[in-house]
mmCIF file of all heavy atoms in Angstrom:
data_model
loop_
_atom_site.group_PDB
_atom_site.id
_atom_site.type_symbol
_atom_site.label_atom_id
_atom_site.label_comp_id
_atom_site.label_asym_id
_atom_site.label_seq_id
_atom_site.Cartn_x
_atom_site.Cartn_y
_atom_site.Cartn_z
ATOM 1 N N ILE A 1256 -8.709 2.479 8.548
ATOM 2 C CA ILE A 1256 -8.963 1.238 9.224
ATOM 3 C C ILE A 1256 -7.858 1.068 10.263
ATOM 4 O O ILE A 1256 -8.169 0.636 11.405
ATOM 5 C CB ILE A 1256 -8.998 0.072 8.284
ATOM 6 C CG1 ILE A 1256 -10.196 0.172 7.307
ATOM 7 C CG2 ILE A 1256 -9.135 -1.209 9.044
ATOM 8 C CD1 ILE A 1256 -10.084 -0.760 6.087
ATOM 9 N N ALA A 1257 -6.611 1.332 9.933
ATOM 10 C CA ALA A 1257 -5.471 1.169 10.814
ATOM 11 C C ALA A 1257 -5.683 2.087 12.018
ATOM 12 O O ALA A 1257 -5.356 1.668 13.149
ATOM 13 C CB ALA A 1257 -4.233 1.366 10.137
ATOM 14 N N GLY A 1258 -6.157 3.242 11.772
ATOM 15 C CA GLY A 1258 -6.417 4.231 12.850
ATOM 16 C C GLY A 1258 -7.386 3.702 13.878
ATOM 17 O O GLY A 1258 -7.325 4.058 15.052
ATOM 18 N N ARG A 1259 -8.385 3.028 13.398
ATOM 19 C CA ARG A 1259 -9.452 2.504 14.320
ATOM 20 C C ARG A 1259 -8.951 1.364 15.223
ATOM 21 O O ARG A 1259 -9.453 1.184 16.315
ATOM 22 C CB ARG A 1259 -10.612 2.031 13.536
ATOM 23 C CG ARG A 1259 -11.372 3.154 12.798
ATOM 24 C CD ARG A 1259 -12.026 4.162 13.770
ATOM 25 N NE ARG A 1259 -12.885 5.051 13.053
ATOM 26 C CZ ARG A 1259 -14.204 4.928 13.047
ATOM 27 N NH1 ARG A 1259 -14.799 3.911 13.541
ATOM 28 N NH2 ARG A 1259 -14.975 5.791 12.340
ATOM 29 N N ILE A 1260 -7.936 0.586 14.716
ATOM 30 C CA ILE A 1260 -7.458 -0.562 15.510
ATOM 31 C C ILE A 1260 -6.245 -0.231 16.232
ATOM 32 O O ILE A 1260 -5.744 -1.023 17.025
ATOM 33 C CB ILE A 1260 -7.297 -1.799 14.580
ATOM 34 C CG1 ILE A 1260 -7.395 -3.079 15.365
ATOM 35 C CG2 ILE A 1260 -5.989 -1.721 13.777
ATOM 36 C CD1 ILE A 1260 -8.774 -3.450 15.847
ATOM 37 N N GLY A 1261 -5.694 1.000 15.967
ATOM 38 C CA GLY A 1261 -4.489 1.458 16.753
ATOM 39 C C GLY A 1261 -3.177 1.084 16.081
ATOM 40 O O GLY A 1261 -2.190 0.966 16.793
ATOM 41 N N VAL A 1262 -3.147 0.795 14.771
ATOM 42 C CA VAL A 1262 -1.931 0.448 14.110
ATOM 43 C C VAL A 1262 -1.357 1.695 13.346
ATOM 44 O O VAL A 1262 -2.087 2.273 12.580
ATOM 45 C CB VAL A 1262 -2.166 -0.724 13.067
ATOM 46 C CG1 VAL A 1262 -0.895 -0.879 12.197
ATOM 47 C CG2 VAL A 1262 -2.523 -1.995 13.763
ATOM 48 N N PRO A 1263 -0.092 2.086 13.643
ATOM 49 C CA PRO A 1263 0.459 3.260 13.027
ATOM 50 C C PRO A 1263 0.694 2.937 11.501
ATOM 51 O O PRO A 1263 1.230 1.851 11.137
ATOM 52 C CB PRO A 1263 1.756 3.458 13.670
ATOM 53 C CG PRO A 1263 2.146 2.142 14.380
ATOM 54 C CD PRO A 1263 0.842 1.470 14.662
ATOM 55 N N LEU A 1264 0.246 3.785 10.600
ATOM 56 C CA LEU A 1264 0.506 3.639 9.134
ATOM 57 C C LEU A 1264 0.643 4.976 8.561
ATOM 58 O O LEU A 1264 -0.173 5.954 8.839
ATOM 59 C CB LEU A 1264 -0.749 2.931 8.537
ATOM 60 C CG LEU A 1264 -0.603 2.244 7.268
ATOM 61 C CD1 LEU A 1264 0.345 0.988 7.308
ATOM 62 C CD2 LEU A 1264 -1.968 1.674 6.700
ATOM 63 N N ALA A 1265 1.704 5.169 7.772
ATOM 64 C CA ALA A 1265 2.077 6.500 7.217
ATOM 65 C C ALA A 1265 2.194 6.350 5.697
ATOM 66 O O ALA A 1265 2.402 5.264 5.140
ATOM 67 C CB ALA A 1265 3.335 7.014 7.813
ATOM 68 N N LEU A 1266 2.142 7.589 5.051
ATOM 69 C CA LEU A 1266 2.332 7.546 3.607
ATOM 70 C C LEU A 1266 3.640 6.880 3.227
ATOM 71 O O LEU A 1266 3.785 6.265 2.212
ATOM 72 C CB LEU A 1266 2.228 8.974 3.079
ATOM 73 C CG LEU A 1266 0.844 9.550 2.792
ATOM 74 C CD1 LEU A 1266 0.951 11.008 2.329
ATOM 75 C CD2 LEU A 1266 0.066 8.721 1.771
ATOM 76 N N GLU A 1267 4.662 7.122 4.019
ATOM 77 C CA GLU A 1267 6.013 6.606 3.693
ATOM 78 C C GLU A 1267 6.004 5.090 3.661
ATOM 79 O O GLU A 1267 6.840 4.508 3.021
ATOM 80 C CB GLU A 1267 7.040 7.065 4.756
ATOM 81 C CG GLU A 1267 7.505 8.504 4.484
ATOM 82 C CD GLU A 1267 6.489 9.581 4.691
ATOM 83 O OE1 GLU A 1267 5.518 9.312 5.507
ATOM 84 O OE2 GLU A 1267 6.565 10.632 4.004
ATOM 85 N N ASP A 1268 5.039 4.437 4.331
ATOM 86 C CA ASP A 1268 4.993 2.974 4.318
ATOM 87 C C ASP A 1268 4.626 2.513 2.876
ATOM 88 O O ASP A 1268 5.030 1.462 2.457
ATOM 89 C CB ASP A 1268 3.890 2.491 5.247
ATOM 90 C CG ASP A 1268 4.368 2.690 6.727
ATOM 91 O OD1 ASP A 1268 5.521 2.473 7.028
ATOM 92 O OD2 ASP A 1268 3.525 3.055 7.591
ATOM 93 N N TRP A 1269 3.847 3.335 2.165
ATOM 94 C CA TRP A 1269 3.476 2.937 0.795
ATOM 95 C C TRP A 1269 4.683 2.994 -0.148
ATOM 96 O O TRP A 1269 4.844 2.220 -1.092
ATOM 97 C CB TRP A 1269 2.416 3.886 0.269
ATOM 98 C CG TRP A 1269 1.084 3.576 0.888
ATOM 99 C CD1 TRP A 1269 0.588 4.005 2.155
ATOM 100 C CD2 TRP A 1269 0.055 2.656 0.434
ATOM 101 N NE1 TRP A 1269 -0.637 3.442 2.427
ATOM 102 C CE2 TRP A 1269 -0.974 2.651 1.351
ATOM 103 C CE3 TRP A 1269 -0.079 1.946 -0.790
ATOM 104 C CZ2 TRP A 1269 -2.139 1.903 1.200
ATOM 105 C CZ3 TRP A 1269 -1.204 1.166 -0.917
ATOM 106 C CH2 TRP A 1269 -2.233 1.107 0.017
ATOM 107 N N THR A 1270 5.640 3.967 0.176
ATOM 108 C CA THR A 1270 6.831 4.048 -0.610
ATOM 109 C C THR A 1270 7.785 2.897 -0.189
ATOM 110 O O THR A 1270 8.338 2.210 -1.036
ATOM 111 C CB THR A 1270 7.548 5.369 -0.337
ATOM 112 O OG1 THR A 1270 6.633 6.421 -0.745
ATOM 113 C CG2 THR A 1270 8.836 5.478 -1.091
ATOM 114 N N ARG A 1271 7.946 2.679 1.119
ATOM 115 C CA ARG A 1271 8.886 1.690 1.612
ATOM 116 C C ARG A 1271 8.509 0.286 1.226
ATOM 117 O O ARG A 1271 9.313 -0.518 0.889
ATOM 118 C CB ARG A 1271 8.954 1.859 3.109
ATOM 119 C CG ARG A 1271 9.978 0.883 3.773
ATOM 120 C CD ARG A 1271 10.036 1.118 5.280
ATOM 121 N NE ARG A 1271 8.746 0.966 5.943
ATOM 122 C CZ ARG A 1271 8.293 -0.203 6.303
ATOM 123 N NH1 ARG A 1271 8.967 -1.346 6.135
ATOM 124 N NH2 ARG A 1271 7.112 -0.309 6.950
ATOM 125 N N ILE A 1272 7.201 -0.013 1.285
ATOM 126 C CA ILE A 1272 6.766 -1.412 1.030
ATOM 127 C C ILE A 1272 6.246 -1.616 -0.347
ATOM 128 O O ILE A 1272 6.530 -2.654 -1.009
ATOM 129 C CB ILE A 1272 5.637 -1.796 2.089
ATOM 130 C CG1 ILE A 1272 6.098 -1.610 3.532
ATOM 131 C CG2 ILE A 1272 5.097 -3.157 1.858
ATOM 132 C CD1 ILE A 1272 5.014 -1.508 4.504
ATOM 133 N N GLY A 1273 5.511 -0.636 -0.910
ATOM 134 C CA GLY A 1273 4.884 -0.804 -2.225
ATOM 135 C C GLY A 1273 5.746 -0.602 -3.424
ATOM 136 O O GLY A 1273 5.667 -1.313 -4.455
ATOM 137 N N ARG A 1274 6.553 0.485 -3.373
ATOM 138 C CA ARG A 1274 7.403 0.818 -4.492
ATOM 139 C C ARG A 1274 8.375 -0.287 -4.851
ATOM 140 O O ARG A 1274 8.939 -0.859 -3.905
ATOM 141 C CB ARG A 1274 8.083 2.132 -4.335
ATOM 142 C CG ARG A 1274 7.243 3.357 -4.263
ATOM 143 C CD ARG A 1274 6.193 3.552 -5.378
ATOM 144 N NE ARG A 1274 6.780 3.522 -6.690
ATOM 145 C CZ ARG A 1274 7.192 4.546 -7.345
ATOM 146 N NH1 ARG A 1274 7.142 5.736 -6.763
ATOM 147 N NH2 ARG A 1274 7.649 4.483 -8.581
ATOM 148 N N GLY A 1275 8.595 -0.474 -6.144
ATOM 149 C CA GLY A 1275 9.449 -1.602 -6.557
ATOM 150 C C GLY A 1275 8.772 -2.911 -6.750
ATOM 151 O O GLY A 1275 9.327 -3.887 -7.209
ATOM 152 N N THR A 1276 7.450 -2.982 -6.381
ATOM 153 C CA THR A 1276 6.681 -4.180 -6.583
ATOM 154 C C THR A 1276 6.022 -4.211 -7.961
ATOM 155 O O THR A 1276 5.379 -3.273 -8.329
ATOM 156 C CB THR A 1276 5.557 -4.291 -5.534
ATOM 157 O OG1 THR A 1276 6.083 -4.115 -4.164
ATOM 158 C CG2 THR A 1276 4.747 -5.578 -5.641
ATOM 159 N N PRO A 1277 6.253 -5.241 -8.711
ATOM 160 C CA PRO A 1277 5.636 -5.325 -10.002
ATOM 161 C C PRO A 1277 4.161 -5.532 -9.988
ATOM 162 O O PRO A 1277 3.644 -6.205 -9.110
ATOM 163 C CB PRO A 1277 6.397 -6.548 -10.674
ATOM 164 C CG PRO A 1277 6.761 -7.343 -9.557
ATOM 165 C CD PRO A 1277 7.084 -6.472 -8.394
ATOM 166 N N THR A 1278 3.418 -4.899 -10.913
ATOM 167 C CA THR A 1278 1.992 -5.150 -11.045
ATOM 168 C C THR A 1278 1.887 -6.390 -11.940
ATOM 169 O O THR A 1278 2.285 -6.449 -13.085
ATOM 170 C CB THR A 1278 1.315 -3.957 -11.709
ATOM 171 O OG1 THR A 1278 1.401 -2.848 -10.850
ATOM 172 C CG2 THR A 1278 -0.144 -4.310 -12.007
ATOM 173 N N LEU A 1279 1.239 -7.412 -11.329
ATOM 174 C CA LEU A 1279 1.088 -8.735 -11.996
ATOM 175 C C LEU A 1279 -0.236 -8.976 -12.643
ATOM 176 O O LEU A 1279 -0.417 -9.702 -13.587
ATOM 177 C CB LEU A 1279 1.393 -9.878 -10.987
ATOM 178 C CG LEU A 1279 2.700 -9.840 -10.249
ATOM 179 C CD1 LEU A 1279 2.797 -11.027 -9.289
ATOM 180 C CD2 LEU A 1279 3.873 -9.774 -11.240
ATOM 181 N N VAL A 1280 -1.273 -8.233 -12.158
ATOM 182 C CA VAL A 1280 -2.650 -8.480 -12.630
ATOM 183 C C VAL A 1280 -2.938 -7.520 -13.787
ATOM 184 O O VAL A 1280 -2.937 -6.315 -13.633
ATOM 185 C CB VAL A 1280 -3.643 -8.227 -11.433
ATOM 186 C CG1 VAL A 1280 -5.065 -8.469 -11.911
ATOM 187 C CG2 VAL A 1280 -3.255 -9.191 -10.284
ATOM 188 N N ASP A 1281 -3.266 -8.098 -14.898
ATOM 189 C CA ASP A 1281 -3.545 -7.370 -16.170
ATOM 190 C C ASP A 1281 -5.022 -7.054 -16.262
ATOM 191 O O ASP A 1281 -5.721 -7.662 -17.076
ATOM 192 C CB ASP A 1281 -3.044 -8.223 -17.348
ATOM 193 C CG ASP A 1281 -2.991 -7.401 -18.672
ATOM 194 O OD1 ASP A 1281 -3.568 -6.334 -18.702
ATOM 195 O OD2 ASP A 1281 -2.341 -7.878 -19.579
ATOM 196 N N LEU A 1282 -5.476 -6.090 -15.435
ATOM 197 C CA LEU A 1282 -6.925 -5.814 -15.417
ATOM 198 C C LEU A 1282 -7.102 -4.283 -15.746
ATOM 199 O O LEU A 1282 -6.261 -3.498 -15.426
ATOM 200 C CB LEU A 1282 -7.460 -6.015 -14.037
ATOM 201 C CG LEU A 1282 -8.500 -7.213 -13.914
ATOM 202 C CD1 LEU A 1282 -7.760 -8.519 -14.116
ATOM 203 C CD2 LEU A 1282 -9.146 -7.214 -12.465
ATOM 204 N N MET A 1283 -8.281 -4.081 -16.325
ATOM 205 C CA MET A 1283 -8.632 -2.604 -16.563
ATOM 206 C C MET A 1283 -8.853 -1.974 -15.175
ATOM 207 O O MET A 1283 -9.239 -2.670 -14.212
ATOM 208 C CB MET A 1283 -10.021 -2.576 -17.292
ATOM 209 C CG MET A 1283 -9.975 -3.139 -18.649
ATOM 210 S SD MET A 1283 -11.622 -3.038 -19.430
ATOM 211 C CE MET A 1283 -11.470 -4.115 -20.856
ATOM 212 N N PRO A 1284 -8.475 -0.683 -14.981
ATOM 213 C CA PRO A 1284 -8.109 0.235 -16.023
ATOM 214 C C PRO A 1284 -6.662 0.196 -16.472
ATOM 215 O O PRO A 1284 -6.263 0.808 -17.448
ATOM 216 C CB PRO A 1284 -8.468 1.613 -15.397
ATOM 217 C CG PRO A 1284 -8.173 1.418 -13.930
ATOM 218 C CD PRO A 1284 -8.621 -0.004 -13.677
#
C-alpha cells in the first residue's frame, strides 16, 4: 500500500517502531 502512494517503508521500520511494544489484545491465536 505504501508503495502505491509513494511512502518509503522498510523492514527496519518494523524493528524500529514495532519492537518493544507490548501486545495488549488477548485474542486468538
Side-chain angles (χ1 to χ4, degrees):
I1256 296 166
R1259 292 297 189 97
I1260 204 70
V1262 170
L1264 201 64
L1266 278 178
E1267 280 67 28
D1268 291 321
W1269 289 83
T1270 301
R1271 181 177 60 84
I1272 301 162
R1274 294 309 305 271
T1276 304
T1278 296
L1279 304 181
V1280 180
D1281 193 343
L1282 248 69
M1283 298 179 194

